[in-house]
Amino acid sequence: AGQLARVIEVDHAILAGATSATAAIIPSGAIVLGVTGRVLTSITGAATSWRLGIAGGSDDRYGSGIGLSAGSWMRGVTGTPQAYYAETALTLTGEGGDFAGGAVRLAVHLTELSLPRA
């Protein structure tokens, strides 16, 4: 048996709209400790800031009031380590308005459990 700690990092292009979902980057069976991120290309549109979370009830789990300009960063520590039982996407939500574009790099910090030897 074992425990693997790793980071899954992705670059995400933000499309126009109120929200922008990543691919399902959190693997099934992962325990997420937190998510960090950096704005690569300034986020444009009517949004005055943004929040990061999971669609369906926890859209600010990893942060809110995050800056829009290139170089802005965020560090969202999960209050209690969060287990995910299915592959899951992260959702960016514009605060104060919709997105028009931009790009972010997100890093999911997680732990996975491995099975004991046969």
Side-chain angles (χ1 to χ4, degrees), residues 5-108:
R6 67 181 179 131
V7 177
I8 298 173
E9 191 171 289
V10 298
D11 290 351
H12 175 71
I14 299 170
L15 301 176
T19 63
S20 182
T22 68
I25 61 174
I26 299 173
S28 176
I31 300 166
V32 176
L33 304 174
V35 179
T36 57
R38 183 175 306 279
V39 177
L40 299 176
T41 304
S42 291
I43 299 170
T44 58
T48 55
S49 61
W50 57 284
R51 59 186 178 266
L52 181 66
I54 305 299
S58 194
D59 69 352
D60 63 351
R61 176 173 290 158
Y62 298 109
S64 62
I66 305 166
L68 302 171
S69 60
S72 295
W73 57 272
M74 52 81 53
R75 182 180 303 130
V77 178
T78 309
T80 302
Q82 178 68 45
Y84 289 88
Y85 297 100
E87 291 184 346
T88 304
L90 293 172
T91 300
L92 291 76
T93 303
E95 296 179 328
D98 289 352
F99 297 125
V104 297
R105 177 169 293 144
L106 298 171
V108 179

